[in-house]
Short mmCIF file of all heavy atoms in Angstrom, two decimals:
data_model
loop_
_atom_site.label_atom_id
_atom_site.label_comp_id
_atom_site.label_asym_id
_atom_site.label_seq_id
_atom_site.Cartn_x
_atom_site.Cartn_y
_atom_site.Cartn_z
N ASN T 48 -2.65 -17.62 26.58
CA ASN T 48 -2.52 -16.22 27.00
C ASN T 48 -3.11 -16.06 28.41
O ASN T 48 -3.33 -17.04 29.11
CB ASN T 48 -3.17 -15.30 25.96
CG ASN T 48 -4.65 -15.57 25.80
OD1 ASN T 48 -5.31 -16.09 26.70
ND2 ASN T 48 -5.18 -15.22 24.64
N ILE T 49 -3.40 -14.83 28.80
CA ILE T 49 -3.93 -14.57 30.13
C ILE T 49 -5.18 -15.42 30.45
O ILE T 49 -5.39 -15.84 31.59
CB ILE T 49 -4.24 -13.05 30.34
CG1 ILE T 49 -4.76 -12.71 31.73
CG2 ILE T 49 -5.21 -12.51 29.29
CD1 ILE T 49 -3.75 -12.80 32.83
N SER T 50 -5.98 -15.72 29.42
CA SER T 50 -7.18 -16.53 29.63
C SER T 50 -6.86 -17.96 30.05
O SER T 50 -7.71 -18.64 30.60
CB SER T 50 -8.04 -16.59 28.37
OG SER T 50 -8.20 -15.30 27.85
N GLY T 51 -5.63 -18.39 29.77
CA GLY T 51 -5.21 -19.71 30.20
C GLY T 51 -4.83 -19.73 31.68
O GLY T 51 -4.71 -20.78 32.29
N LEU T 52 -4.64 -18.54 32.23
CA LEU T 52 -4.29 -18.43 33.65
C LEU T 52 -5.53 -18.15 34.48
O LEU T 52 -5.75 -18.75 35.51
CB LEU T 52 -3.26 -17.31 33.82
CG LEU T 52 -2.59 -17.15 35.18
CD1 LEU T 52 -1.83 -18.41 35.56
CD2 LEU T 52 -1.63 -15.96 35.14
N PHE T 53 -6.35 -17.20 33.98
CA PHE T 53 -7.56 -16.81 34.70
C PHE T 53 -8.75 -16.68 33.76
O PHE T 53 -8.60 -16.16 32.65
CB PHE T 53 -7.39 -15.42 35.35
CG PHE T 53 -6.40 -15.38 36.46
CD1 PHE T 53 -5.29 -14.57 36.40
CD2 PHE T 53 -6.59 -16.17 37.60
CE1 PHE T 53 -4.38 -14.51 37.43
CE2 PHE T 53 -5.67 -16.12 38.65
CZ PHE T 53 -4.56 -15.30 38.56
N ASP T 54 -9.89 -17.10 34.24
CA ASP T 54 -11.13 -16.76 33.56
C ASP T 54 -11.45 -15.33 33.98
O ASP T 54 -11.63 -15.06 35.17
CB ASP T 54 -12.23 -17.73 34.01
CG ASP T 54 -13.51 -17.50 33.25
OD1 ASP T 54 -13.86 -16.32 33.02
OD2 ASP T 54 -14.18 -18.48 32.90
N LEU T 55 -11.50 -14.44 32.99
CA LEU T 55 -11.68 -13.02 33.30
C LEU T 55 -13.11 -12.53 33.05
O LEU T 55 -13.36 -11.33 33.02
CB LEU T 55 -10.71 -12.16 32.46
CG LEU T 55 -9.20 -12.40 32.67
CD1 LEU T 55 -8.38 -11.56 31.71
CD2 LEU T 55 -8.79 -12.11 34.10
N THR T 56 -14.04 -13.48 32.89
CA THR T 56 -15.43 -13.13 32.60
C THR T 56 -15.99 -12.09 33.57
O THR T 56 -16.70 -11.17 33.17
CB THR T 56 -16.34 -14.39 32.67
OG1 THR T 56 -15.68 -15.45 32.04
CG2 THR T 56 -17.69 -14.13 32.05
N ASN T 57 -15.68 -12.26 34.86
CA ASN T 57 -16.32 -11.41 35.86
C ASN T 57 -15.40 -10.33 36.42
O ASN T 57 -15.56 -9.89 37.55
CB ASN T 57 -16.86 -12.27 37.00
CG ASN T 57 -18.06 -13.07 36.56
OD1 ASN T 57 -18.78 -12.68 35.64
ND2 ASN T 57 -18.27 -14.21 37.20
N ILE T 58 -14.44 -9.92 35.62
CA ILE T 58 -13.59 -8.82 36.08
C ILE T 58 -13.73 -7.68 35.08
O ILE T 58 -13.94 -7.92 33.88
CB ILE T 58 -12.13 -9.28 36.26
CG1 ILE T 58 -11.37 -8.28 37.13
CG2 ILE T 58 -11.41 -9.51 34.94
CD1 ILE T 58 -10.23 -8.88 37.90
N THR T 59 -13.67 -6.46 35.57
CA THR T 59 -13.78 -5.33 34.64
C THR T 59 -12.55 -4.45 34.76
O THR T 59 -11.97 -4.29 35.84
CB THR T 59 -15.04 -4.47 34.92
OG1 THR T 59 -14.97 -4.02 36.26
CG2 THR T 59 -16.30 -5.26 34.69
N PHE T 60 -12.16 -3.91 33.63
CA PHE T 60 -11.04 -2.98 33.55
C PHE T 60 -11.59 -1.70 32.94
O PHE T 60 -12.24 -1.77 31.89
CB PHE T 60 -9.95 -3.50 32.61
CG PHE T 60 -9.35 -4.82 33.04
CD1 PHE T 60 -9.82 -6.02 32.53
CD2 PHE T 60 -8.30 -4.84 33.94
CE1 PHE T 60 -9.25 -7.23 32.92
CE2 PHE T 60 -7.72 -6.04 34.33
CZ PHE T 60 -8.20 -7.24 33.82
N SER T 61 -11.39 -0.58 33.57
CA SER T 61 -11.78 0.66 32.88
C SER T 61 -10.74 1.74 33.09
O SER T 61 -10.23 1.93 34.19
CB SER T 61 -13.18 1.11 33.30
OG SER T 61 -13.16 1.49 34.64
N LEU T 62 -10.43 2.36 31.99
CA LEU T 62 -9.34 3.33 31.98
C LEU T 62 -9.90 4.74 32.09
O LEU T 62 -10.81 5.11 31.35
CB LEU T 62 -8.56 3.15 30.67
CG LEU T 62 -7.14 3.69 30.57
CD1 LEU T 62 -6.26 3.13 31.67
CD2 LEU T 62 -6.56 3.29 29.21
N SER T 63 -9.38 5.52 33.05
CA SER T 63 -9.80 6.91 33.19
C SER T 63 -8.56 7.74 33.48
O SER T 63 -7.46 7.21 33.51
CB SER T 63 -10.80 7.03 34.33
OG SER T 63 -10.14 6.84 35.56
N ALA T 64 -8.78 9.02 33.76
CA ALA T 64 -7.65 9.90 34.03
C ALA T 64 -6.86 9.45 35.26
O ALA T 64 -5.65 9.64 35.33
CB ALA T 64 -8.15 11.33 34.23
N GLU T 65 -7.53 8.82 36.22
CA GLU T 65 -6.82 8.39 37.43
C GLU T 65 -5.99 7.13 37.23
O GLU T 65 -5.16 6.80 38.06
CB GLU T 65 -7.79 8.10 38.58
CG GLU T 65 -8.56 9.28 39.09
CD GLU T 65 -10.02 9.10 38.80
OE1 GLU T 65 -10.72 8.46 39.61
OE2 GLU T 65 -10.47 9.56 37.74
N GLY T 66 -6.29 6.41 36.17
CA GLY T 66 -5.56 5.16 35.94
C GLY T 66 -6.51 4.07 35.53
O GLY T 66 -7.63 4.33 35.05
N LEU T 67 -6.08 2.85 35.75
CA LEU T 67 -6.88 1.70 35.36
C LEU T 67 -7.62 1.17 36.58
O LEU T 67 -6.99 0.81 37.57
CB LEU T 67 -5.95 0.63 34.80
CG LEU T 67 -6.59 -0.64 34.23
CD1 LEU T 67 -7.28 -0.34 32.91
CD2 LEU T 67 -5.54 -1.72 34.05
N THR T 68 -8.96 1.17 36.51
CA THR T 68 -9.74 0.64 37.62
C THR T 68 -10.04 -0.84 37.35
O THR T 68 -10.49 -1.19 36.27
CB THR T 68 -11.05 1.42 37.81
OG1 THR T 68 -10.71 2.79 38.01
CG2 THR T 68 -11.84 0.93 39.01
N ILE T 69 -9.76 -1.66 38.36
CA ILE T 69 -9.93 -3.10 38.23
C ILE T 69 -10.85 -3.57 39.34
O ILE T 69 -10.72 -3.12 40.48
CB ILE T 69 -8.56 -3.81 38.37
CG1 ILE T 69 -7.60 -3.32 37.30
CG2 ILE T 69 -8.71 -5.34 38.32
CD1 ILE T 69 -6.21 -3.92 37.37
N GLY T 70 -11.76 -4.43 39.02
CA GLY T 70 -12.62 -4.98 40.06
C GLY T 70 -13.36 -6.21 39.59
O GLY T 70 -13.63 -6.36 38.40
N GLY T 71 -13.68 -7.08 40.53
CA GLY T 71 -14.44 -8.28 40.18
C GLY T 71 -13.75 -9.54 40.63
O GLY T 71 -12.92 -9.52 41.53
N ASN T 72 -14.10 -10.64 39.99
CA ASN T 72 -13.54 -11.93 40.38
C ASN T 72 -12.78 -12.58 39.23
O ASN T 72 -13.17 -12.45 38.09
CB ASN T 72 -14.67 -12.91 40.75
CG ASN T 72 -15.60 -12.33 41.79
OD1 ASN T 72 -15.16 -11.67 42.72
ND2 ASN T 72 -16.89 -12.57 41.61
N THR T 73 -11.74 -13.27 39.57
CA THR T 73 -11.09 -14.10 38.57
C THR T 73 -11.09 -15.54 39.08
O THR T 73 -11.12 -15.78 40.28
CB THR T 73 -9.63 -13.68 38.30
OG1 THR T 73 -8.89 -13.74 39.51
CG2 THR T 73 -9.56 -12.27 37.74
N THR T 74 -11.10 -16.46 38.14
CA THR T 74 -11.10 -17.87 38.50
C THR T 74 -9.91 -18.54 37.84
O THR T 74 -9.68 -18.36 36.64
CB THR T 74 -12.42 -18.52 38.00
OG1 THR T 74 -13.51 -17.77 38.53
CG2 THR T 74 -12.55 -19.97 38.45
N SER T 75 -9.15 -19.28 38.62
CA SER T 75 -7.96 -19.96 38.07
C SER T 75 -8.34 -20.91 36.95
O SER T 75 -9.27 -21.71 37.08
CB SER T 75 -7.24 -20.75 39.16
OG SER T 75 -6.77 -19.88 40.15
N ALA T 76 -7.60 -20.81 35.85
CA ALA T 76 -7.95 -21.60 34.67
C ALA T 76 -6.81 -22.52 34.21
O ALA T 76 -6.94 -23.24 33.23
CB ALA T 76 -8.36 -20.68 33.53
N TRP T 77 -5.71 -22.46 34.93
CA TRP T 77 -4.53 -23.24 34.51
C TRP T 77 -4.62 -24.62 35.11
O TRP T 77 -4.74 -24.75 36.33
CB TRP T 77 -3.27 -22.53 35.01
CG TRP T 77 -2.00 -22.90 34.34
CD1 TRP T 77 -1.84 -23.67 33.22
CD2 TRP T 77 -0.68 -22.52 34.76
NE1 TRP T 77 -0.49 -23.76 32.92
CE2 TRP T 77 0.23 -23.06 33.85
CE3 TRP T 77 -0.19 -21.74 35.83
CZ2 TRP T 77 1.62 -22.87 33.96
CZ3 TRP T 77 1.18 -21.55 35.93
CH2 TRP T 77 2.07 -22.11 35.00
N ASP T 78 -4.56 -25.64 34.28
CA ASP T 78 -4.73 -27.01 34.76
C ASP T 78 -3.38 -27.62 35.14
O ASP T 78 -2.80 -28.41 34.40
CB ASP T 78 -5.43 -27.85 33.67
CG ASP T 78 -5.93 -29.17 34.22
OD1 ASP T 78 -5.81 -29.39 35.44
OD2 ASP T 78 -6.43 -29.98 33.42
N ILE T 79 -2.91 -27.23 36.32
CA ILE T 79 -1.67 -27.82 36.84
C ILE T 79 -1.96 -28.34 38.24
O ILE T 79 -3.11 -28.29 38.68
CB ILE T 79 -0.50 -26.79 36.84
CG1 ILE T 79 -0.83 -25.57 37.69
CG2 ILE T 79 -0.15 -26.40 35.41
CD1 ILE T 79 0.36 -24.62 37.91
N GLN T 80 -0.95 -28.83 38.93
CA GLN T 80 -1.19 -29.43 40.24
C GLN T 80 -0.69 -28.53 41.36
O GLN T 80 0.25 -27.76 41.18
CB GLN T 80 -0.49 -30.80 40.33
CG GLN T 80 -1.00 -31.81 39.32
CD GLN T 80 -2.49 -32.04 39.44
OE1 GLN T 80 -3.01 -32.33 40.54
NE2 GLN T 80 -3.21 -31.89 38.33
N GLN T 81 -1.34 -28.65 42.51
CA GLN T 81 -1.03 -27.77 43.64
C GLN T 81 0.44 -27.81 44.05
O GLN T 81 1.01 -26.81 44.43
CB GLN T 81 -1.91 -28.12 44.85
CG GLN T 81 -1.76 -27.11 45.98
CD GLN T 81 -2.95 -27.07 46.91
OE1 GLN T 81 -3.83 -27.93 46.84
NE2 GLN T 81 -2.99 -26.08 47.77
N GLU T 82 1.04 -29.01 43.95
CA GLU T 82 2.44 -29.12 44.41
C GLU T 82 3.45 -28.71 43.33
O GLU T 82 4.65 -28.71 43.57
CB GLU T 82 2.74 -30.48 45.01
CG GLU T 82 2.30 -31.77 44.33
CD GLU T 82 0.82 -31.95 44.00
OE1 GLU T 82 -0.05 -31.36 44.67
OE2 GLU T 82 0.53 -32.67 43.04
N ASP T 83 2.99 -28.32 42.17
CA ASP T 83 3.91 -27.90 41.11
C ASP T 83 4.67 -26.63 41.50
O ASP T 83 4.15 -25.77 42.19
CB ASP T 83 3.15 -27.60 39.80
CG ASP T 83 2.66 -28.86 39.12
OD1 ASP T 83 2.93 -29.98 39.61
OD2 ASP T 83 1.99 -28.73 38.07
N ARG T 84 5.88 -26.55 41.00
CA ARG T 84 6.65 -25.32 41.17
C ARG T 84 6.37 -24.42 39.97
O ARG T 84 6.40 -24.87 38.83
CB ARG T 84 8.15 -25.65 41.24
CG ARG T 84 9.05 -24.42 41.39
CD ARG T 84 10.51 -24.83 41.59
NE ARG T 84 11.03 -25.58 40.45
CZ ARG T 84 11.51 -25.03 39.34
NH1 ARG T 84 11.54 -23.72 39.21
NH2 ARG T 84 11.97 -25.78 38.35
N VAL T 85 6.04 -23.16 40.25
CA VAL T 85 5.72 -22.23 39.17
C VAL T 85 6.87 -21.22 39.03
O VAL T 85 7.32 -20.64 40.02
CB VAL T 85 4.39 -21.49 39.44
CG1 VAL T 85 4.16 -20.37 38.44
CG2 VAL T 85 3.23 -22.48 39.42
N GLU T 86 7.30 -21.08 37.80
CA GLU T 86 8.37 -20.13 37.52
C GLU T 86 7.81 -18.95 36.75
O GLU T 86 7.03 -19.13 35.82
CB GLU T 86 9.39 -20.83 36.60
CG GLU T 86 10.78 -20.87 37.15
CD GLU T 86 11.74 -21.56 36.20
OE1 GLU T 86 12.04 -20.99 35.13
OE2 GLU T 86 12.17 -22.68 36.52
N LEU T 87 8.22 -17.75 37.13
CA LEU T 87 7.79 -16.55 36.40
C LEU T 87 9.00 -15.88 35.78
O LEU T 87 10.04 -15.72 36.43
CB LEU T 87 7.10 -15.57 37.34
CG LEU T 87 6.92 -14.13 36.79
CD1 LEU T 87 5.95 -14.11 35.62
CD2 LEU T 87 6.44 -13.19 37.88
N GLU T 88 8.85 -15.49 34.53
CA GLU T 88 9.88 -14.69 33.90
C GLU T 88 9.22 -13.42 33.38
O GLU T 88 8.18 -13.47 32.72
CB GLU T 88 10.50 -15.48 32.75
CG GLU T 88 11.76 -14.85 32.22
CD GLU T 88 12.34 -15.64 31.05
OE1 GLU T 88 12.32 -16.89 31.10
OE2 GLU T 88 12.76 -14.99 30.09
N LEU T 89 9.84 -12.28 33.69
CA LEU T 89 9.32 -11.00 33.23
C LEU T 89 10.35 -10.36 32.32
O LEU T 89 11.51 -10.23 32.71
CB LEU T 89 9.04 -10.09 34.43
CG LEU T 89 8.66 -8.66 34.09
CD1 LEU T 89 7.20 -8.57 33.71
CD2 LEU T 89 8.92 -7.73 35.25
N ASN T 90 9.94 -9.99 31.14
CA ASN T 90 10.82 -9.30 30.20
C ASN T 90 10.21 -7.97 29.82
O ASN T 90 8.99 -7.85 29.71
CB ASN T 90 11.03 -10.13 28.93
CG ASN T 90 11.72 -11.45 29.23
OD1 ASN T 90 11.09 -12.49 29.34
ND2 ASN T 90 13.02 -11.40 29.40
N THR T 91 11.04 -7.00 29.62
CA THR T 91 10.57 -5.66 29.27
C THR T 91 11.14 -5.25 27.92
O THR T 91 12.31 -5.49 27.64
CB THR T 91 11.05 -4.66 30.35
OG1 THR T 91 10.74 -5.18 31.62
CG2 THR T 91 10.37 -3.32 30.18
N PHE T 92 10.29 -4.65 27.11
CA PHE T 92 10.69 -4.22 25.77
C PHE T 92 10.37 -2.73 25.61
O PHE T 92 9.41 -2.24 26.18
CB PHE T 92 9.94 -5.01 24.70
CG PHE T 92 10.16 -6.50 24.77
CD1 PHE T 92 9.43 -7.28 25.66
CD2 PHE T 92 11.12 -7.11 23.98
CE1 PHE T 92 9.65 -8.65 25.74
CE2 PHE T 92 11.35 -8.48 24.05
CZ PHE T 92 10.60 -9.26 24.94
N PHE T 93 11.16 -2.07 24.79
CA PHE T 93 10.97 -0.65 24.53
C PHE T 93 10.70 -0.46 23.04
O PHE T 93 11.38 -1.07 22.21
CB PHE T 93 12.24 0.11 24.94
CG PHE T 93 12.17 1.59 24.72
CD1 PHE T 93 11.36 2.38 25.52
CD2 PHE T 93 12.92 2.20 23.72
CE1 PHE T 93 11.30 3.76 25.32
CE2 PHE T 93 12.86 3.57 23.52
CZ PHE T 93 12.04 4.35 24.33
N LEU T 94 9.70 0.34 22.73
CA LEU T 94 9.35 0.55 21.32
C LEU T 94 10.26 1.60 20.70
O LEU T 94 10.26 2.76 21.10
CB LEU T 94 7.89 0.98 21.19
CG LEU T 94 7.33 1.03 19.77
CD1 LEU T 94 7.32 -0.34 19.11
CD2 LEU T 94 5.92 1.61 19.77
N GLU T 95 11.04 1.15 19.78
CA GLU T 95 12.01 2.03 19.15
C GLU T 95 11.87 1.93 17.63
O GLU T 95 12.04 0.86 17.07
CB GLU T 95 13.42 1.62 19.58
CG GLU T 95 14.49 2.57 19.15
CD GLU T 95 15.70 2.51 20.07
OE1 GLU T 95 16.00 1.43 20.58
OE2 GLU T 95 16.33 3.58 20.26
N ARG T 96 11.54 3.04 17.03
CA ARG T 96 11.30 3.11 15.58
C ARG T 96 10.45 1.94 15.09
O ARG T 96 10.81 1.24 14.15
CB ARG T 96 12.63 3.18 14.82
CG ARG T 96 13.21 4.59 14.86
CD ARG T 96 14.51 4.71 14.07
NE ARG T 96 15.60 5.09 14.94
CZ ARG T 96 16.57 4.28 15.35
NH1 ARG T 96 16.61 3.02 14.97
NH2 ARG T 96 17.51 4.75 16.12
N GLY T 97 9.36 1.69 15.81
CA GLY T 97 8.41 0.68 15.35
C GLY T 97 8.74 -0.76 15.68
O GLY T 97 7.96 -1.65 15.36
N THR T 98 9.87 -1.01 16.34
CA THR T 98 10.12 -2.40 16.74
C THR T 98 10.39 -2.49 18.24
O THR T 98 10.94 -1.57 18.85
CB THR T 98 11.32 -3.04 16.00
OG1 THR T 98 12.40 -2.12 16.00
CG2 THR T 98 10.96 -3.42 14.58
N TRP T 99 9.99 -3.61 18.80
CA TRP T 99 10.17 -3.83 20.23
C TRP T 99 11.58 -4.33 20.50
O TRP T 99 11.95 -5.40 20.04
CB TRP T 99 9.16 -4.85 20.75
CG TRP T 99 7.77 -4.33 20.78
CD1 TRP T 99 6.74 -4.69 19.94
CD2 TRP T 99 7.23 -3.36 21.68
NE1 TRP T 99 5.60 -3.99 20.29
CE2 TRP T 99 5.88 -3.17 21.35
CE3 TRP T 99 7.77 -2.63 22.76
CZ2 TRP T 99 5.06 -2.29 22.04
CZ3 TRP T 99 6.95 -1.75 23.45
CH2 TRP T 99 5.61 -1.58 23.08
N GLN T 100 12.34 -3.53 21.23
CA GLN T 100 13.71 -3.91 21.57
C GLN T 100 13.74 -4.41 23.01
O GLN T 100 13.20 -3.75 23.90
CB GLN T 100 14.64 -2.69 21.46
CG GLN T 100 14.67 -2.04 20.11
CD GLN T 100 15.30 -2.93 19.06
OE1 GLN T 100 16.06 -3.85 19.38
NE2 GLN T 100 15.00 -2.67 17.80
N PRO T 101 14.38 -5.56 23.26
CA PRO T 101 14.50 -6.02 24.65
C PRO T 101 15.32 -5.04 25.49
O PRO T 101 16.23 -4.39 24.96
CB PRO T 101 15.23 -7.37 24.53
CG PRO T 101 15.65 -7.53 23.14
CD PRO T 101 15.02 -6.46 22.30
N THR T 102 14.99 -4.89 26.75
CA THR T 102 15.76 -4.02 27.64
C THR T 102 16.40 -4.87 28.73
O THR T 102 16.15 -6.07 28.82
CB THR T 102 14.87 -2.95 28.32
OG1 THR T 102 14.13 -3.59 29.36
CG2 THR T 102 13.94 -2.26 27.34
N VAL T 103 17.21 -4.23 29.56
CA VAL T 103 17.88 -4.95 30.65
C VAL T 103 16.94 -5.23 31.82
O VAL T 103 17.30 -5.94 32.75
CB VAL T 103 19.11 -4.19 31.18
CG1 VAL T 103 20.16 -4.07 30.08
CG2 VAL T 103 18.74 -2.81 31.71
N PHE T 104 15.73 -4.66 31.77
CA PHE T 104 14.82 -4.88 32.88
C PHE T 104 14.14 -6.24 32.76
O PHE T 104 13.16 -6.40 32.04
CB PHE T 104 13.76 -3.77 32.96
CG PHE T 104 14.36 -2.41 33.11
CD1 PHE T 104 14.44 -1.54 32.03
CD2 PHE T 104 14.88 -2.01 34.33
CE1 PHE T 104 15.01 -0.29 32.17
CE2 PHE T 104 15.46 -0.76 34.48
CZ PHE T 104 15.53 0.10 33.40
#
Side-chain angles (χ1 to χ4, degrees):
N48 61 25
I49 182 72
S50 312
L52 189 60
F53 292 120
D54 185 320
L55 299 176
T56 317
N57 289 334
I58 197 152
T59 58
F60 299 95
S61 67
L62 200 56
S63 71
E65 295 114 86
L67 184 72
T68 303
I69 301 178
N72 306 320
T73 58
T74 306
S75 297
W77 199 9
D78 194 4
I79 59 171
Q80 298 303 308
Q81 188 157 11
E82 46 304 334
D83 287 358
R84 179 174 61 83
V85 171
E86 238 181 69
L87 165 66
E88 192 181 320
L89 173 81
N90 297 99
T91 311
F92 301 83
F93 180 71
L94 189 63
E95 188 154 34
R96 281 182 241 106
T98 46
W99 289 108
Q100 302 292 339
T102 76
V103 297
F104 302 103

